[in-house]
mmCIF file of all heavy atoms in Angstrom:
data_model
loop_
_atom_site.group_PDB
_atom_site.id
_atom_site.type_symbol
_atom_site.label_atom_id
_atom_site.label_comp_id
_atom_site.label_asym_id
_atom_site.label_seq_id
_atom_site.Cartn_x
_atom_site.Cartn_y
_atom_site.Cartn_z
ATOM 1 N N LEU A 1379 4.623 37.077 -6.153
ATOM 2 C CA LEU A 1379 4.777 37.381 -4.734
ATOM 3 C C LEU A 1379 4.077 36.265 -4.017
ATOM 4 O O LEU A 1379 2.872 35.989 -4.282
ATOM 5 C CB LEU A 1379 4.173 38.735 -4.361
ATOM 6 C CG LEU A 1379 4.947 40.003 -4.680
ATOM 7 C CD1 LEU A 1379 5.017 40.246 -6.176
ATOM 8 C CD2 LEU A 1379 4.291 41.216 -3.994
ATOM 9 N N ALA A 1380 4.750 35.610 -3.090
ATOM 10 C CA ALA A 1380 4.174 34.423 -2.441
ATOM 11 C C ALA A 1380 4.585 34.315 -0.988
ATOM 12 O O ALA A 1380 5.507 35.009 -0.560
ATOM 13 C CB ALA A 1380 4.568 33.147 -3.195
ATOM 14 N N SER A 1381 3.876 33.491 -0.260
ATOM 15 C CA SER A 1381 4.211 33.283 1.152
ATOM 16 C C SER A 1381 5.554 32.580 1.313
ATOM 17 O O SER A 1381 5.969 31.807 0.470
ATOM 18 C CB SER A 1381 3.126 32.428 1.821
ATOM 19 O OG SER A 1381 1.881 33.076 1.790
ATOM 20 N N ASN A 1382 6.173 32.874 2.457
ATOM 21 C CA ASN A 1382 7.472 32.247 2.773
ATOM 22 C C ASN A 1382 7.316 31.034 3.686
ATOM 23 O O ASN A 1382 8.256 30.679 4.399
ATOM 24 C CB ASN A 1382 8.414 33.270 3.362
ATOM 25 C CG ASN A 1382 7.907 33.807 4.698
ATOM 26 O OD1 ASN A 1382 6.835 33.464 5.181
ATOM 27 N ND2 ASN A 1382 8.671 34.755 5.296
ATOM 28 N N THR A 1383 6.124 30.435 3.699
ATOM 29 C CA THR A 1383 5.806 29.390 4.637
ATOM 30 C C THR A 1383 5.690 28.021 3.951
ATOM 31 O O THR A 1383 5.507 27.913 2.745
ATOM 32 C CB THR A 1383 4.467 29.674 5.355
ATOM 33 O OG1 THR A 1383 3.432 29.777 4.371
ATOM 34 C CG2 THR A 1383 4.554 30.952 6.136
ATOM 35 N N THR A 1384 5.738 26.981 4.775
ATOM 36 C CA THR A 1384 5.543 25.584 4.406
ATOM 37 C C THR A 1384 6.284 25.224 3.108
ATOM 38 O O THR A 1384 7.475 25.449 3.019
ATOM 39 C CB THR A 1384 4.026 25.242 4.321
ATOM 40 O OG1 THR A 1384 3.351 26.092 3.436
ATOM 41 C CG2 THR A 1384 3.392 25.385 5.720
ATOM 42 N N SER A 1385 5.581 24.729 2.108
ATOM 43 C CA SER A 1385 6.251 24.222 0.909
ATOM 44 C C SER A 1385 6.547 25.280 -0.135
ATOM 45 O O SER A 1385 7.291 25.013 -1.082
ATOM 46 C CB SER A 1385 5.366 23.152 0.260
ATOM 47 O OG SER A 1385 4.115 23.750 -0.143
ATOM 48 N N ILE A 1386 5.972 26.452 -0.003
ATOM 49 C CA ILE A 1386 6.043 27.430 -1.102
ATOM 50 C C ILE A 1386 7.459 27.826 -1.479
ATOM 51 O O ILE A 1386 7.800 27.927 -2.651
ATOM 52 C CB ILE A 1386 5.157 28.663 -0.753
ATOM 53 C CG1 ILE A 1386 3.686 28.200 -0.663
ATOM 54 C CG2 ILE A 1386 5.299 29.738 -1.843
ATOM 55 C CD1 ILE A 1386 2.736 29.302 -0.213
ATOM 56 N N PRO A 1387 8.403 28.007 -0.504
ATOM 57 C CA PRO A 1387 9.761 28.341 -0.929
ATOM 58 C C PRO A 1387 10.429 27.228 -1.761
ATOM 59 O O PRO A 1387 11.274 27.514 -2.600
ATOM 60 C CB PRO A 1387 10.491 28.513 0.404
ATOM 61 C CG PRO A 1387 9.422 28.960 1.350
ATOM 62 C CD PRO A 1387 8.213 28.210 0.950
ATOM 63 N N GLU A 1388 10.020 25.972 -1.531
ATOM 64 C CA GLU A 1388 10.550 24.858 -2.376
ATOM 65 C C GLU A 1388 10.130 25.030 -3.823
ATOM 66 O O GLU A 1388 10.904 24.717 -4.731
ATOM 67 C CB GLU A 1388 10.008 23.518 -1.868
ATOM 68 C CG GLU A 1388 10.480 23.113 -0.490
ATOM 69 C CD GLU A 1388 9.856 21.789 -0.089
ATOM 70 O OE1 GLU A 1388 10.014 20.773 -0.812
ATOM 71 O OE2 GLU A 1388 9.223 21.759 0.988
ATOM 72 N N VAL A 1389 8.901 25.493 -4.021
ATOM 73 C CA VAL A 1389 8.364 25.671 -5.391
ATOM 74 C C VAL A 1389 8.921 26.926 -6.023
ATOM 75 O O VAL A 1389 9.337 26.902 -7.182
ATOM 76 C CB VAL A 1389 6.847 25.721 -5.365
ATOM 77 C CG1 VAL A 1389 6.269 25.894 -6.758
ATOM 78 C CG2 VAL A 1389 6.263 24.453 -4.735
ATOM 79 N N ALA A 1390 8.929 28.011 -5.290
ATOM 80 C CA ALA A 1390 9.284 29.306 -5.852
ATOM 81 C C ALA A 1390 10.788 29.505 -6.002
ATOM 82 O O ALA A 1390 11.255 30.227 -6.893
ATOM 83 C CB ALA A 1390 8.715 30.407 -5.012
ATOM 84 N N GLY A 1391 11.585 28.857 -5.156
ATOM 85 C CA GLY A 1391 13.022 29.041 -5.192
ATOM 86 C C GLY A 1391 13.397 30.517 -5.005
ATOM 87 O O GLY A 1391 12.814 31.217 -4.182
ATOM 88 N N ASP A 1392 14.354 30.980 -5.834
ATOM 89 C CA ASP A 1392 14.767 32.373 -5.790
ATOM 90 C C ASP A 1392 14.074 33.224 -6.848
ATOM 91 O O ASP A 1392 14.461 34.368 -7.057
ATOM 92 C CB ASP A 1392 16.296 32.477 -6.006
ATOM 93 C CG ASP A 1392 17.100 31.784 -4.938
ATOM 94 O OD1 ASP A 1392 16.642 31.800 -3.763
ATOM 95 O OD2 ASP A 1392 18.169 31.219 -5.246
ATOM 96 N N ALA A 1393 13.014 32.684 -7.397
ATOM 97 C CA ALA A 1393 12.347 33.351 -8.542
ATOM 98 C C ALA A 1393 11.113 34.145 -8.151
ATOM 99 O O ALA A 1393 10.378 34.589 -8.993
ATOM 100 C CB ALA A 1393 11.965 32.315 -9.606
ATOM 101 N N ALA A 1394 10.924 34.350 -6.841
ATOM 102 C CA ALA A 1394 9.722 35.085 -6.375
ATOM 103 C C ALA A 1394 10.115 35.961 -5.187
ATOM 104 O O ALA A 1394 11.142 35.755 -4.571
ATOM 105 C CB ALA A 1394 8.620 34.106 -5.966
ATOM 106 N N ILE A 1395 9.281 36.942 -4.928
ATOM 107 C CA ILE A 1395 9.414 37.721 -3.710
ATOM 108 C C ILE A 1395 8.592 37.001 -2.640
ATOM 109 O O ILE A 1395 7.389 36.809 -2.773
ATOM 110 C CB ILE A 1395 8.869 39.159 -3.914
ATOM 111 C CG1 ILE A 1395 9.698 39.889 -4.958
ATOM 112 C CG2 ILE A 1395 8.860 39.918 -2.593
ATOM 113 C CD1 ILE A 1395 9.119 41.236 -5.375
ATOM 114 N N LEU A 1396 9.274 36.524 -1.578
ATOM 115 C CA LEU A 1396 8.612 35.756 -0.539
ATOM 116 C C LEU A 1396 8.378 36.613 0.682
ATOM 117 O O LEU A 1396 9.291 37.290 1.161
ATOM 118 C CB LEU A 1396 9.443 34.532 -0.193
ATOM 119 C CG LEU A 1396 9.703 33.517 -1.352
ATOM 120 C CD1 LEU A 1396 10.564 32.375 -0.859
ATOM 121 C CD2 LEU A 1396 8.366 33.025 -1.911
ATOM 122 N N LEU A 1397 7.155 36.527 1.217
ATOM 123 C CA LEU A 1397 6.731 37.380 2.326
ATOM 124 C C LEU A 1397 5.976 36.586 3.367
ATOM 125 O O LEU A 1397 5.303 35.594 3.029
ATOM 126 C CB LEU A 1397 5.824 38.505 1.793
ATOM 127 C CG LEU A 1397 6.391 39.418 0.688
ATOM 128 C CD1 LEU A 1397 5.260 40.037 -0.100
ATOM 129 C CD2 LEU A 1397 7.297 40.465 1.272
ATOM 130 N N ALA A 1398 6.047 37.023 4.597
ATOM 131 C CA ALA A 1398 5.232 36.364 5.643
ATOM 132 C C ALA A 1398 3.767 36.610 5.346
ATOM 133 O O ALA A 1398 3.354 37.741 5.098
ATOM 134 C CB ALA A 1398 5.579 36.964 7.015
ATOM 135 N N PRO A 1399 2.954 35.552 5.316
ATOM 136 C CA PRO A 1399 1.553 35.709 4.900
ATOM 137 C C PRO A 1399 0.727 36.613 5.845
ATOM 138 O O PRO A 1399 -0.285 37.159 5.436
ATOM 139 C CB PRO A 1399 1.022 34.268 4.894
ATOM 140 C CG PRO A 1399 1.942 33.513 5.786
ATOM 141 C CD PRO A 1399 3.282 34.152 5.644
ATOM 142 N N GLU A 1400 1.140 36.745 7.107
ATOM 143 C CA GLU A 1400 0.420 37.588 8.042
ATOM 144 C C GLU A 1400 0.815 39.075 7.988
ATOM 145 O O GLU A 1400 0.189 39.930 8.605
ATOM 146 C CB GLU A 1400 0.619 37.088 9.473
ATOM 147 C CG GLU A 1400 0.206 35.651 9.724
ATOM 148 C CD GLU A 1400 1.327 34.661 9.487
ATOM 149 O OE1 GLU A 1400 2.365 35.068 8.927
ATOM 150 O OE2 GLU A 1400 1.168 33.488 9.856
ATOM 151 N N ASP A 1401 1.858 39.374 7.214
ATOM 152 C CA ASP A 1401 2.407 40.727 7.183
ATOM 153 C C ASP A 1401 1.712 41.581 6.138
ATOM 154 O O ASP A 1401 2.217 41.788 5.032
ATOM 155 C CB ASP A 1401 3.945 40.656 6.888
ATOM 156 C CG ASP A 1401 4.616 42.017 6.939
ATOM 157 O OD1 ASP A 1401 3.968 43.012 7.312
ATOM 158 O OD2 ASP A 1401 5.793 42.094 6.579
ATOM 159 N N THR A 1402 0.570 42.104 6.501
ATOM 160 C CA THR A 1402 -0.228 42.903 5.529
ATOM 161 C C THR A 1402 0.528 44.082 5.019
ATOM 162 O O THR A 1402 0.526 44.380 3.843
ATOM 163 C CB THR A 1402 -1.537 43.329 6.228
ATOM 164 O OG1 THR A 1402 -2.255 42.186 6.688
ATOM 165 C CG2 THR A 1402 -2.400 44.108 5.242
ATOM 166 N N GLU A 1403 1.224 44.815 5.900
ATOM 167 C CA GLU A 1403 1.936 46.004 5.487
ATOM 168 C C GLU A 1403 3.108 45.592 4.551
ATOM 169 O O GLU A 1403 3.369 46.286 3.549
ATOM 170 C CB GLU A 1403 2.536 46.699 6.707
ATOM 171 C CG GLU A 1403 3.290 47.990 6.380
ATOM 172 C CD GLU A 1403 2.434 49.105 5.833
ATOM 173 O OE1 GLU A 1403 1.189 49.113 6.044
ATOM 174 O OE2 GLU A 1403 3.025 50.025 5.202
ATOM 175 N N GLY A 1404 3.764 44.472 4.837
ATOM 176 C CA GLY A 1404 4.842 44.038 3.968
ATOM 177 C C GLY A 1404 4.343 43.714 2.583
ATOM 178 O O GLY A 1404 5.022 44.021 1.565
ATOM 179 N N TRP A 1405 3.181 43.088 2.470
ATOM 180 C CA TRP A 1405 2.621 42.809 1.145
ATOM 181 C C TRP A 1405 2.280 44.083 0.406
ATOM 182 O O TRP A 1405 2.541 44.225 -0.809
ATOM 183 C CB TRP A 1405 1.377 41.900 1.269
ATOM 184 C CG TRP A 1405 1.726 40.469 1.440
ATOM 185 C CD1 TRP A 1405 2.126 39.826 2.564
ATOM 186 C CD2 TRP A 1405 1.741 39.480 0.409
ATOM 187 N NE1 TRP A 1405 2.395 38.507 2.315
ATOM 188 C CE2 TRP A 1405 2.157 38.262 1.001
ATOM 189 C CE3 TRP A 1405 1.436 39.494 -0.949
ATOM 190 C CZ2 TRP A 1405 2.274 37.087 0.270
ATOM 191 C CZ3 TRP A 1405 1.559 38.309 -1.689
ATOM 192 C CH2 TRP A 1405 1.967 37.137 -1.065
#
Side-chain angles (χ1 to χ4, degrees):
L1379 281 68
S1381 296
N1382 63 0
T1383 59
T1384 57
S1385 62
I1386 296 175
E1388 294 178 56
V1389 179
D1392 297 327
I1395 297 172
L1396 298 179
L1397 304 157
E1400 301 90 349
D1401 184 7
T1402 302
E1403 182 67 20
W1405 278 81

